[in-house]
Amino acid sequence: MNDPRANLELEPARGGVGAPVRHESAHLHVRGAAPFTDDIPELQGTLHAALVLSSQAHARIRGVDLASVRAAPGVVAVLGAADVPGENNFGPILRDDPILANEVVQYAGQPMFLVVAETAGAARRAARLAAVDYQALPAILNIDEALRQESFVVPSVTLERGDCAAALAAAPRRLSGSIRLGGQEHLSLEGHIAYALPREDGGMLVYSSTQHPGQVQLAVARALGVAAHRVTVECRRLGGGFGGKETQPAQFACAAAIAARALDRAVKLRLDRDDDFMITGKRHDFRVDYEVGFDGGGRILGLELMLASRCGHSADLSALVNDRAMAHADNWYYLENVRIVSHRCRTHTQSNTAFRGFGVLQALTAMEAVIEDIAQDLRVDAAAVRRSNFYVPGVRDTAPHGMKIEDFIGRELFDDLEASAAYAARRAALRAWNAANPVIKRGIAMTPAKLGISFSTAFLNQASAQVHIYTDGSVLLNHGGVEMGQGLFTKVAQVVAEELGIDIDRLRALPSDTSRVPNASATAASTGSDLNGKAAQAAARKLKARLAAFAAARFQVPPEAVRFQSNQVHAGATVLGFAELAQMAYQSRVQLMATGFYRTPKLDYDPRTRSGRRYLYFAYGAAVSEVAIDTLTGETRLLRVDILHDAGKSLNPAIDRGQVEGGFVQGMGWVTSEELVWDGAGRLRTHGPATYKIPVAGDIPPEFNVRLYERGENVEDSIFRSKGVGEPPLMLALSVFFAIRDAVSSVADYTLAPRLNVPATPEQILRSVEELRERSGRCRGDAVDPSRRG
């Protein structure tokens, strides 16, 4: 088998690490051939379910008349809390979230009964016929009322460093302020759905649209009163998740499984969009109050921050969301004296949950609002105030929660973007424009973002994977991560292809399945590639070492002389195909399957003292946004965006760029148009695309410049020195909000800070413009004194 190719330098196999290969399902998506949960062929006799929802925010159920529901055409059964064979609860941490409400309802939209019928339409029509007699109870509907009544889902938490009170008292300049941050609906293209199929001997197979199959498995097992090994949860792909499918899919999987067990027939529960809105939690909305002391150069000397979030009726993941918000309130800034108080408010509304950014988005908005107000007070560019407060490696480099910031690249990245986006020149040009244009005002802002990558709960930072090599040289990959459009399956396949030296199209990934990979953590916190990529790498390296040892023995060369490259194996002077070696190894009884495991190192965060290393590393980014607003209507146009994002050594630049663009646009929706509105009775009024406005193609700026930081390389031993990229780009959209604020501020010649909340809808902008004019004593169309321009 001596081959002259042994001495040639070969091209690497196609699709390895760093290659911009397409998403593994792209060819299926464009043809409409990628099956989601609702596309799985239904078993004969499959039933369909719908939920009866509460119309009251807080009430006691005095009586129920379900006769009309049971008599409706096609109805097979109506189930309630009494029909749950096990535990009537799906709460992920605290057991405070019933699958079906019993006796008392805690929010308008809470499921009370499950209607099972021959078709989905029949179940939904019948569910509307339920007659429920309520006794109204006092309802807490917003953060202010919850704070007044001290209504919290978990106790409030305080994080302190230094002497904040003394620093504030001694500061030469002081400001205080407040900002309101709205929630956000996940609005995944694929809504919540579960399909439960009874199996032999008390088993249950559940197809669930979930980011966390393991958590769904445990919740279904508890609801059915069986051990976890009798429940299998499978998910091939999600049509979007964004955090909304981390904990809350368990409710619908449990309901479908309860019905399937009761009727011994397969049951599918697919929410229509309105019910999806009404039942499920959103991004936490926040009230932020602050007091800051600073010097004449804008350096923060003391900061007191109050973060109060609306958590809804149950705890869900709110404690972790708010903890993460506290841990990120610093952003890029060293805060020597700081006091952060976090209130986790219980209200009689939907239980808010994980959302891309997981509290970090709100915390960064709060911090950047403080920075902008300082700049406004000093009449200087906010970029200068930011620089004054940046972390300084080796000097000012410890976060308020005690973690040393060892990888800060912010200053270099910020300088790079400022130059490439021509920020200073454009800022000056916009001020000249605004002086000459009384109606259309333009604004610009440059904002940074930092996000810690790891689960804050240390034990979640683990992953397992399996790699199988078949005798024809094809490879099957299985891990606990979930593909939800973010390209996780593609990236992990690239890792294995790189390790084995084979083309990526020789690999196939199996659906996420609790019977194959148990106890997997949620695909969340931007850790999917880090955890599952490292686990798959460990499995691939085991196989590679096993095959190398076999080839070394067979061809009488040292193991280190065996190379895997370009679909071939080089053993000294011998060259053979990867498939040929696999066949030989099999015939020599070499195992061609391996498992891999990974646990994130260095994490020593202590939740009792709220100190230590919470994250393995940080991802950084910055953005410059330019907007125009119409001061007569409040309408906004995003004109240009420049983004520089740190993805480390990117596993796949094409996918990472797509994540940056998509994350930014989703964040842009939060700061501009996505407004959730509840009425005085606690009913959500924006419960569909007709009333809840996400960004569309026309909202994309005509100039959208995205660049991955060329010098980026993770200082930690992440998977091929890459960085998580799912969540961090979302924060870059704060530049849009502060550009809008900058445009509004021009109405008062930049002398006053606008009072503007998130989202900055046209109504909000118009109110802010008029309020600013009133405070400044200006009337619409007043001339501007050029000597007062900032």
Side-chain angles (χ1 to χ4, degrees):
M1 295 188 183
N2 292 334
D3 193 309
R5 293 174 296 174
N7 297 317
L8 297 178
E9 283 297 322
L10 299 176
E11 291 293 321
R14 193 188 67 80
V17 166
V21 298
R22 63 165 174 78
H23 189 285
E24 50 90 26
S25 294
H27 62 296
L28 300 176
H29 288 306
V30 297
R31 290 162 40 210
F36 294 85
T37 301
D38 199 33
D39 301 314
I40 295 170
E42 295 175 3
L43 291 182
Q44 185 176 1
T46 292
L47 298 172
H48 298 264
L51 293 159
V52 177
L53 309 183
S54 166
S55 63
Q56 304 295 307
H58 192 205
R60 191 173 306 281
I61 301 173
R62 288 193 296 203
V64 179
D65 183 358
L66 299 174
S68 297
V69 179
R70 292 191 172 98
V75 170
V76 175
V78 181
L79 305 175
D83 299 300
V84 179
E87 183 181 350
N88 181 29
N89 211 292
F90 71 99
I93 301 175
L94 301 182
R95 300 286 186 262
D96 62 349
D97 224 335
I99 300 163
L100 297 171
N102 186 29
E103 297 184 357
V104 175
V105 293
Q106 300 283 346
Y107 71 98
Q110 185 169 20
M112 299 181 293
F113 300 96
L114 185 71
V115 180
V116 186
E118 297 292 347
T119 67
R124 291 172 181 173
R125 285 189 292 271
R128 301 190 192 105
L129 302 177
V132 182
D133 180 25
Y134 300 98
Q135 177 189 350
L137 298 172
I140 299 171
L141 301 178
N142 55 56
I143 292 173
D144 292 346
E145 185 61 22
L147 289 174
R148 190 182 71 80
Q149 296 194 32
E150 297 185 351
S151 172
F152 306 123
V153 294
V154 291
S156 300
V157 175
T158 300
L159 176 65
E160 290 187 85
R161 179 169 69 180
D163 190 337
C164 186
L168 287 172
R173 305 180 78 100
R174 292 172 68 172
L175 286 173
S176 61
S178 182
I179 185 171
R180 305 279 178 147
L181 313 176
Q184 187 176 21
E185 169 64 33
H186 301 86
L187 203 63
S188 303
L189 286 177
E190 176 198 33
H192 283 280
I193 181 171
Y195 184 29
L197 294 77
R199 288 295 185 251
E200 64 176 44
D201 198 22
M204 186 68 66
L205 170 61
V206 181
Y207 294 100
S208 174
S209 181
T210 176
Q211 295 173 236
H212 198 178
Q215 195 264 333
V216 171
Q217 177 195 27
L218 294 175
V220 170
R222 287 194 300 265
L224 297 180
V226 300
H229 72 280
R230 295 196 182 277
V231 177
T232 298
V233 177
E234 181 179 314
C235 179
R236 172 56 182 93
R237 59 173 59 85
L238 306 184
F242 312 121
K245 294 178 180 177
E246 187 171 345
T247 62
Q248 304 208 348
Q251 182 173 26
F252 314 114
C254 287
I258 289 163
R261 172 63 68 240
L263 302 171
D264 198 27
R265 290 172 67 178
V267 175
K268 180 185 286 188
L269 172 56
R270 176 173 57 83
L271 303 186
D272 73 11
R273 186 61 72 180
D274 292 281
D275 286 354
D276 206 323
F277 266 80
M278 293 297 295
I279 297 169
T280 60
K282 327 294 179 191
R283 186 186 298 282
H284 291 65
D285 46 319
F286 272 63
R287 170 183 148 186
V288 178
D289 298 338
Y290 79 86
E291 184 173 5
V292 63
F294 54 99
D295 64 20
R299 176 169 287 188
I300 294 172
L301 305 175
L303 174 64
E304 185 156 357
L305 200 60
M306 190 280 288
L307 305 174
S309 74
R310 170 160 52 176
C311 300
H313 75 97
S314 67
D316 196 85
L317 298 177
S318 291
L320 301 177
V321 169
N322 284 273
D323 282 353
R324 199 169 178 92
M326 296 175 74
H328 283 81
D330 56 320
N331 200 8
W332 286 18
Y333 314 118
Y334 179 73
L335 304 175
E336 185 172 6
N337 301 287
V338 61
R339 184 172 188 266
I340 304 170
V341 179
S342 170
H343 299 297
R344 298 94 192 271
C345 299
R346 184 190 299 276
T347 56
H348 294 103
T349 52
Q350 290 82 357
S351 186
N352 287 331
T353 189
F355 200 126
R356 192 179 194 177
F358 207 78
V360 179
L361 179 62
Q362 298 94 319
L364 266 57
T365 309
M367 188 68 242
E368 294 307 316
V370 172
I371 292 288
E372 292 280 339
D373 283 355
I374 292 172
Q376 198 91 46
D377 183 74
L378 295 173
R379 309 282 180 89
V380 299
D381 184 356
V385 177
R386 291 185 169 96
R387 279 199 176 83
S388 297
N389 289 284
F390 281 169
Y391 279 108
V392 179
V395 183
R396 293 159 49 90
D397 62 356
T398 305
H401 54 81
M403 179 175 168
K404 194 176 184 67
I405 310 299
E406 300 169 333
D407 61 354
F408 186 68
I409 58 170
R411 193 173 298 275
E412 297 87 347
L413 190 149
F414 205 73
D415 290 347
D416 188 329
L417 179 63
E418 184 178 42
S420 65
Y423 168 76
R426 289 165 59 198
R427 181 175 182 270
L430 288 189
R431 274 149 174 71
W433 162 278
N434 288 334
N437 289 273
V439 175
I440 304 299
K441 300 291 186 181
R442 292 187 175 184
I444 192 169
M446 180 175 178
T447 60
K450 170 174 69 68
L451 189 136
I453 307 296
S454 293
F455 287 104
S456 298
T457 304
F459 70 79
L460 296 176
N461 294 286
Q462 59 175 300
S464 301
Q466 298 174 358
V467 177
H468 301 184
I469 299 176
Y470 294 95
T471 55
D472 64 353
S474 62
V475 177
L476 193 64
L477 168 64
N478 192 211
H479 54 79
V482 174
E483 175 59 52
M484 47 189 153
Q486 84 281 38
L488 174 64
F489 277 27
T490 308
K491 286 185 171 183
V492 177
Q494 286 180 269
V495 168
V496 176
E498 182 77 18
E499 290 293 339
L500 298 180
I502 60 175
D503 290 343
I504 193 171
D505 55 16
R506 289 187 174 222
L507 283 91
R508 186 172 77 88
L510 287 172
S512 306
D513 186 326
T514 59
S515 68
R516 296 191 184 105
V517 178
N519 310 317
S521 296
T523 303
S526 302
T527 63
S529 296
D530 282 353
L531 294 177
N532 298 289
K534 276 287 195 180
Q537 181 185 54
R541 285 181 172 178
K542 283 183 184 179
L543 286 168
K544 186 176 179 179
R546 203 175 291 160
L547 289 171
F550 167 73
R554 172 65 68 92
F555 301 113
Q556 300 296 299
V557 297
E560 58 270 18
V562 180
R563 292 184 298 122
F564 293 74
Q565 186 177 2
S566 193
N567 303 300
Q568 295 176 347
V569 181
H570 300 249
T574 302
V575 180
L576 64 163
F578 182 80
E580 187 178 356
L581 181 64
Q583 179 69 37
M584 292 171 60
Y586 166 71
Q587 291 176 353
S588 297
R589 295 181 291 180
V590 175
Q591 187 183 26
L592 296 178
M593 185 274 284
T595 61
F597 180 76
Y598 174 73
R599 52 179 289 175
T600 308
K602 297 187 176 183
L603 305 179
D604 61 359
Y605 176 69
D606 186 343
R608 294 167 298 179
T609 61
R610 299 185 183 276
S611 62
R613 188 181 187 113
R614 299 178 67 115
Y615 311 111
L616 181 61
Y617 62 86
F618 291 90
Y620 299 88
V624 176
S625 289
E626 181 180 337
V627 304
I629 67 168
D630 187 328
T631 59
L632 300 181
T633 66
E635 292 175 280
T636 306
R637 289 287 182 271
L638 180 57
L639 304 175
R640 174 176 168 180
V641 174
D642 295 83
I643 291 173
L644 182 56
H645 185 72
D646 165 36
K649 289 290 185 184
S650 174
L651 293 175
N652 185 319
I655 284 176
D656 284 349
R657 182 187 173 98
Q659 285 291 289
V660 172
E661 293 171 350
F664 180 89
V665 171
Q666 188 171 50
M668 180 181 75
W670 180 66
V671 301
T672 60
S673 65
E674 297 187 42
E675 185 175 28
L676 292 162
V677 178
W678 284 263
D679 64 20
R683 293 180 297 242
L684 181 65
R685 309 309 294 184
T686 48
H687 50 77
T691 50
Y692 183 81
K693 299 301 183 183
I694 65 171
V696 296
D699 296 313
I700 306 301
E703 190 170 352
F704 197 178
N705 305 311
V706 175
R707 188 158 53 94
L708 299 181
Y709 189 50
E710 294 87 351
R711 289 179 282 168
E713 180 172 346
N714 202 333
V715 299
E716 298 297 336
D717 183 24
S718 62
I719 187 67
F720 287 100
R721 301 285 175 174
S722 64
K723 289 190 176 185
V725 75
E727 294 173 286
L730 187 89
M731 324 302 164
L732 302 179
L734 295 181
S735 59
V736 177
F737 176 74
F738 290 108
I740 293 171
R741 237 184 76 140
D742 183 56
V744 172
S745 178
S746 71
V747 170
D749 199 24
Y750 306 101
T751 59
L752 298 171
R755 294 169 183 165
L756 187 65
N757 295 320
V758 173
T761 61
E763 295 86 353
Q764 278 272 0
I765 292 170
L766 196 57
R767 279 195 292 266
S768 183
V769 166
E770 295 301 329
E771 187 273 339
L772 197 61
R773 282 187 172 130
E774 188 174 319
R775 270 196 290 147
S776 67
R778 294 180 184 279
C779 297
R780 185 178 297 166
D782 278 359
V784 177
D785 179 358
S787 67
R788 296 184 61 203
R789 289 185 194 126

